[in-house]
Amino acid sequence: PSGGTGTFVILIQVYSPNGANYLGSLTCQGNDNGSMVIPSSQLQSYPTGALLAVSLFRYQIENATLPGSGDSVEGIASLGVMGTGVLR
């Protein structure tokens, strides 16, 4: 589900069409509101047919203070998936 206080990250790593060379990467990060768009201009410098490794991550950080001691506790939760693609 989207929303809440989570953050969403898209990481795209770009390789040459034959997979022999790493060409670069781009990252987009923002609040998890249910959608995210990567501007096509961010991919224009890569060749048609480039191979893509696409990673999608959602993470959330929560903080709390323990009532007895005043100590703080921080928890981090994350979930991610990875896939591949071809730049057209």
Side-chain angles (χ1 to χ4, degrees):
S2 66
T5 59
T7 299
F8 200 77
V9 177
I10 298 174
L11 168 63
I12 299 178
Q13 296 171 299
V14 185
Y15 297 86
S16 59
N18 67 2
N21 298 304
Y22 175 74
L23 303 178
S25 67
L26 60 113
T27 305
C28 290
Q29 177 179 329
N31 293 332
D32 184 6
N33 63 8
S35 68
M36 183 174 281
V37 176
I38 296 176
S40 60
S41 62
Q42 297 294 313
L43 295 166
Q44 286 179 344
S45 64
Y46 299 113
T48 299
L51 303 178
L52 308 175
V54 182
S55 302
L56 309 172
F57 301 99
R58 183 184 193 281
Y59 66 93
Q60 185 167 336
I61 301 172
E62 297 287 336
N63 298 293
T65 301
L66 299 176
S69 64
D71 292 338
S72 60
V73 177
E74 182 173 81
I76 300 172
S78 66
L79 177 66
V81 296
M82 296 179 75
T84 59
V86 177
L87 186 61
R88 299 281 179 207

